[in-house]
Amino acid sequence: MEQVITERPAKFGLAGFILGVASLLVILIQLSAFFEPQAKTSGSVIGEIAADIKQSAAHALAGQPAPEPGSPPKDYSRAVTISAICLAAIAVVLGGIGLYRNEPHRLSYMAVGAGVSAFVMQYVFWLAILICGVTLLISIIGNLDGIFS
């Protein structure tokens, strides 16, 4: 008698791996956009604030109502980040389903690994930014006597 072992194709594992890699790429692009230079300099922002204060004071002295504030520009970075995290979660779930269905394990393991690494990458990035910010604040506070003397 021959035993024929039929392997199922790795449908869920492959789909999870593709979604995991896509979420990693989106998060990587999102994190690299964090270091792009800002559109306005601090001087121009301060100048705009001063102009708004002057305009508001002129309207108040004339007895007119305050001007309506302008709407801020739309920022889709939060939606992109949330969608990338959802893709990572779906990749982990699909990898788990692939493991449950006894598909070839390699793609399922890679799907779970890519999904989890997308979570970890974002967490470690923000943790590093937080540590750098605290270190910068500590060094500024420690050198205040040198700045004002």
Side-chain angles (χ1 to χ4, degrees):
M1 283 210 243
E2 285 185 32
Q3 288 184 343
V4 178
I5 298 174
T6 58
E7 286 191 24
R8 295 183 179 184
K11 295 177 188 174
F12 289 102
L14 180 63
F17 176 69
I18 290 171
L19 289 178
V21 169
S23 68
L24 273 173
L25 288 175
V26 168
I27 286 178
L28 189 64
I29 291 169
Q30 177 75 20
L31 294 180
S32 67
F34 180 78
F35 294 109
E36 286 184 1
Q38 299 298 321
K40 296 181 181 179
T41 64
S42 59
S44 64
V45 171
I46 292 171
E48 288 177 6
I49 291 172
D52 286 342
I53 291 172
K54 179 182 174 186
Q55 189 179 32
S56 178
H59 281 285
L61 289 175
Q64 299 172 349
E68 300 265 338
S71 63
K74 294 194 178 200
D75 186 23
Y76 297 108
S77 63
R78 184 171 291 172
V80 170
T81 304
I82 290 172
S83 65
I85 290 174
C86 289
L87 281 178
I90 292 170
V92 170
V93 169
L94 287 176
I97 291 172
L99 288 172
Y100 179 75
R101 292 191 56 196
N102 290 326
E103 293 179 353
H105 296 301
R106 183 169 291 164
L107 277 174
S108 298
Y109 286 146
M110 288 171 37
V112 171
V116 168
S117 64
F119 286 116
V120 170
M121 180 190 302
Q122 191 152 20
Y123 174 74
V124 168
F125 175 78
W126 287 111
L127 186 65
I129 293 295
L130 179 69
I131 290 170
C132 290
V134 168
T135 305
L136 182 65
L137 283 174
I138 289 171
S139 66
I140 289 172
I141 290 172
N143 293 320
L144 277 178
D145 61 343
I147 295 172
F148 291 120
S149 62

